[in-house]
Amino acid sequence: MTTPPAPHPRPHRPAWAGRNYTLLTAAAVVTGLGNSGALIAAAFAVLDAGGDGGDIGLVAAARTLPLVAFLLIGGALADRLPRHRVMVAANALNCASQGLFAVLVLSGEARLWQMAALAALGGIGQAFFGPAAEGMLFSSVTSEQSARAFALFRMGLNGSQIGGAALGGALVAIVGPGWVLAVDAAAFAVAGALRALLDVGHIAPREPGGGMLRDLREGWREFIGRPWLWSIVVQFSVVNAVVAAAEAVYGPLVAEEHLGGARPWGFALAAFGAGTVVGGLTMMRWRPRRLLLAGTLCVLPFALPSAALAVPLSAPALCAVMFVAGASVEVFGVSWMSALHQEIPENKLSRVAAYDWLGSIAMVPVATALAGPAESAFGRTTALWGCSALILLLTLAVLCVPDVRRLRRRASKPVAEGTAATELTAAPDR
């Protein structure tokens, strides 16, 4: 009589990847796949409706402006209400707006003002979703494993965005933009259902506050009272803006004139995405003691892509530069999330996240709008070198902030209401 083979043990998730973390990561991957394809689909929907590049920019601005306008309200609301309910409601709004967008495009009756209005609804949904999602993610992991958890989360999100962009571009060519928008609406529905299953029993009930304005003032005091926090947000308000101008405006032009067209530029962007994955893998194992010092030093290579476009380097060299930039900026991203998780009180996480988001994106529309005039006034090469110089100068300035250099990783999260923001331990450097 033969003994049946022993069953293979089922793979188990790590002990630190609890139910909430797993649900949040799965939902982020689902929406990352849908959103990346939808951005491409929306642009081609505008073109199919007879629009041009200016109209694509108008629809993009229609999404960004409400996002900026409602972010602070979204952060205050997420610290006042159960965060998972805010997230589910925002997903429902995004599902409805993208579903209607898809119906209009598939019907062939989509007009520019309709697409702009639906994009604006999507921006409002994102404004309420983002701060709530960040606060919920931070509350789902322990300090001991936060770096590994954030690295894995960002790897999943970045990977889904890379795959979503590639898949979305192919589907737009095969079945048209309307169906890709419909897939994005379905992704929001699935993600909302996953987030509805989150367990918030471990989060202390919010005490009644003194109103929205008081909540916003408390969040502002929390934000401005930490020099490391506001200095890095100011840094990235400019860094994100000039990087967006370089990649969205100058990069395609350089690729068209010097590198052979859209294909090598696509490879360069893919190399950046691959770099973020490698950076995430690095942060799964590396736990720098001085969180912000290590992270901020890794922002310096983010100046390389603009410089490479200014030269311009060959396509293979540009891909190598983009890979290094992607890996290094991912080290910063994980370090930044770990610092916020460690230092910010749980009941103020979403408000601080809202100020972080606002500072990080507010200058992007301005920079992309001014990229063309700057090229006309100074020349493209000078404008690109200016982008690199701004990144380097601001990063070196942030390194002069004492708390950025001194803030160290702790074994546990000691921050509670009223705790000083600059308590720095004497843990040895790594």
Side-chain angles (χ1 to χ4, degrees):
M1 180 177 178
T2 27
T3 306
H8 292 289
R10 292 182 179 179
H12 293 287
R13 64 189 180 203
W16 49 265
R19 171 190 170 89
N20 279 2
Y21 175 83
T22 303
L23 287 170
L24 288 166
T25 303
V29 169
V30 170
T31 49
L33 285 168
N35 284 343
S36 299
L39 291 174
I40 300 170
F44 279 92
V46 172
L47 295 176
D48 289 349
D52 55 18
D55 295 325
I56 294 174
L58 178 63
V59 172
R63 178 180 177 85
T64 304
L65 292 177
L67 172 59
V68 172
F70 285 94
L71 259 174
L72 295 183
I73 298 174
L77 195 67
D79 276 340
R80 180 178 287 263
L81 301 176
R83 292 185 181 120
H84 71 306
R85 293 183 181 175
V86 177
M87 296 165 69
V88 172
N91 284 165
L93 177 60
N94 287 131
C95 176
S97 63
Q98 289 294 76
L100 185 53
F101 200 161
V103 169
L104 289 172
V105 173
L106 290 170
S107 69
E109 300 296 326
R111 298 176 182 175
L112 182 63
W113 71 267
Q114 294 171 327
M115 291 187 280
L118 291 169
L121 284 177
I124 293 171
Q126 186 62 33
F128 285 90
F129 173 82
E134 193 157 322
M136 196 71 207
L137 177 65
F138 286 171
S139 70
S140 71
V141 297
T142 63
S143 294
E144 292 80 2
Q145 298 294 344
S146 60
R148 184 174 297 179
F150 297 149
L152 183 59
F153 178 87
R154 290 174 63 93
M155 283 171 57
L157 182 60
N158 290 332
S160 68
Q161 290 174 342
I162 296 167
L167 183 61
L171 288 176
V172 166
I174 297 170
V175 299
W179 289 109
V180 177
L181 291 167
V183 169
D184 189 35
F188 276 117
V190 172
L194 290 172
R195 288 163 178 145
L197 300 175
L198 292 168
D199 178 13
V200 295
H202 65 289
I203 300 176
R206 312 290 185 219
E207 295 182 3
M212 185 72 70
L213 289 178
R214 179 178 174 181
D215 288 349
L216 290 174
R217 285 195 297 269
E218 287 180 354
W220 174 251
R221 285 195 295 268
E222 197 71 35
F223 175 81
I224 204 67
R226 292 173 157 79
W228 62 267
L229 177 55
W230 63 257
S231 63
I232 289 179
V233 171
V234 169
Q235 171 200 12
F236 267 83
S237 69
V238 178
V239 169
N240 286 339
V242 298
V243 167
E247 291 190 354
V249 180
Y250 300 139
L253 294 174
V254 172
E256 183 67 27
E257 295 176 12
H258 300 284
L259 303 179
R263 186 175 181 183
W265 181 238
F267 283 142
L269 294 177
F272 181 87
T276 64
V277 174
V278 171
L281 288 170
T282 300
M283 294 305 288
M284 290 283 290
R285 295 180 174 274
W286 185 39
R287 290 167 54 86
R289 289 290 184 187
R290 297 198 184 191
L291 284 168
L292 295 179
L293 178 61
T296 303
L297 287 172
C298 286
V299 178
L300 293 172
F302 214 29
L304 293 175
S306 296
L309 290 170
V311 173
L313 295 182
S314 65
L318 177 61
C319 287
V321 165
M322 293 288 278
F323 179 86
V324 171
S328 62
V329 83
E330 191 65 12
V331 173
F332 167 81
V334 175
S335 299
W336 177 245
M337 292 180 73
S338 299
L340 291 176
H341 178 265
Q342 174 178 287
E343 298 296 319
I344 306 301
E346 193 279 332
N347 65 333
K348 295 180 181 177
L349 279 171
S350 291
R351 278 170 285 177
V352 171
Y355 283 109
D356 178 16
W357 274 56
L358 180 63
S360 298
I361 67 172
M363 294 295 292
V364 170
V366 177
T368 51
L370 293 178
E375 181 182 14
S376 300
F378 307 109
R380 188 188 307 154
T381 299
T382 302
L384 282 165
W385 282 118
C387 291
S388 288
L390 281 171
I391 294 171
L392 290 174
L393 289 173
L394 284 166
T395 304
L396 293 174
V398 163
L399 287 171
C400 295
V401 178
D403 287 355
V404 171
R405 301 193 307 272
R406 297 174 186 167
L407 186 66
R408 302 188 185 192
R409 187 186 304 277
R410 299 186 180 98
S412 59
K413 180 178 179 177
V415 176
E417 187 72 30
T419 300
T422 54
E423 289 183 9
L424 304 177
T425 64
D429 293 336
R430 177 174 293 182

